[in-house]
Amino acid sequence: MLSKVTQIVEEMVHPILDELHLELVDVEYVKEGPNWFLRVYIDKETGVDIDECAVVSEKLSEKLDEIDPISENYFLEVSSPGAERPLKKDKDFEMAIGKNVHIKTYEPIENEKTFEGILTAFNGKTVTVEVKIKTRKKTIEIPYEKVAKARLAVTFS
């Protein structure tokens, strides 16, 4: 049910985003307390502003009313993914090379399931992260299919 909704919404929002030269980062359909939320995260290289989010929200809302793919009442939220943008697609990982990332894996790799460091390489099969352990740096190779969640990570130095 949930993946069907997100799939339908993704298909609906792509033409809107293409027209506005924006990129779809993610679609979530989640229940929080008694309420359902349909969240659409959009971005572009220079970042998105509130006006762009409002235009996408308005156009998507019209399409959703027309097609009505969701039976429950829900709140539609269109926003930027923020500084800690999720990495979901190959392209996201490729664009994050050289940046600080936070990765969680489905199973331990070298006795760890959480890694934070610089993404140094991605080849579609392996995610390579340079992590700092106390005073030394270590390179960890994570099989792509073992990545449960990944996002950019903001650091304050």
Side-chain angles (χ1 to χ4, degrees):
M1 158 73 182
L2 294 184
S3 61
K4 185 91 174 133
V5 167
T6 57
Q7 186 182 346
I8 291 167
V9 172
E10 278 185 29
E11 289 168 11
M12 291 170 71
V13 79
H14 270 293
I16 296 167
L17 298 179
D18 289 347
E19 180 186 320
L20 299 168
H21 307 288
L22 299 170
E23 166 196 359
L24 178 65
V25 175
D26 199 11
V27 175
E28 293 178 340
Y29 184 58
V30 293
K31 188 170 187 178
E32 293 178 2
N35 300 313
W36 283 93
F37 291 87
L38 176 60
R39 294 191 177 111
V40 178
Y41 298 97
I42 61 172
D43 209 357
K44 67 179 181 197
E45 222 167 279
T46 54
V48 291
D49 61 31
I50 194 157
D51 294 333
E52 290 167 311
C53 291
V55 168
V56 172
S57 180
E58 195 175 303
K59 288 180 179 241
L60 179 58
S61 189
E62 286 172 14
K63 272 194 163 182
L64 286 165
D65 289 347
E66 193 181 298
I67 296 168
D68 201 20
I70 303 170
S71 55
E72 301 87 10
N73 288 333
Y74 61 93
F75 294 96
L76 173 63
E77 296 177 354
V78 176
S79 67
S80 156
E84 294 197 332
R85 172 190 174 136
L87 306 176
K88 298 245 178 189
K89 305 172 193 127
D90 289 5
K91 187 179 95 179
D92 298 335
F93 282 89
E94 289 161 7
M95 289 176 64
I97 291 173
K99 296 182 179 163
N100 204 52
V101 296
H102 181 91
I103 297 176
K104 287 187 178 186
T105 57
Y106 289 112
E107 56 191 59
I109 293 165
E110 297 188 27
N111 299 319
E112 296 291 330
K113 286 178 81 174
T114 303
F115 303 90
E116 190 160 319
I118 302 298
L119 178 64
T120 57
F122 173 74
N123 65 11
K125 291 183 176 23
T126 307
V127 178
T128 307
V129 182
E130 185 180 90
V131 297
K132 227 174 168 180
I133 303 166
K134 294 182 183 160
T135 58
R136 62 185 183 88
K137 291 180 179 175
K138 182 177 183 178
T139 300
I140 308 282
E141 290 193 351
I142 303 167
Y144 190 37
E145 75 271 3
K146 301 226 167 120
V147 174
K149 277 189 167 186
R151 62 173 168 76
L152 293 178
V154 174
T155 54
F156 302 95
S157 41

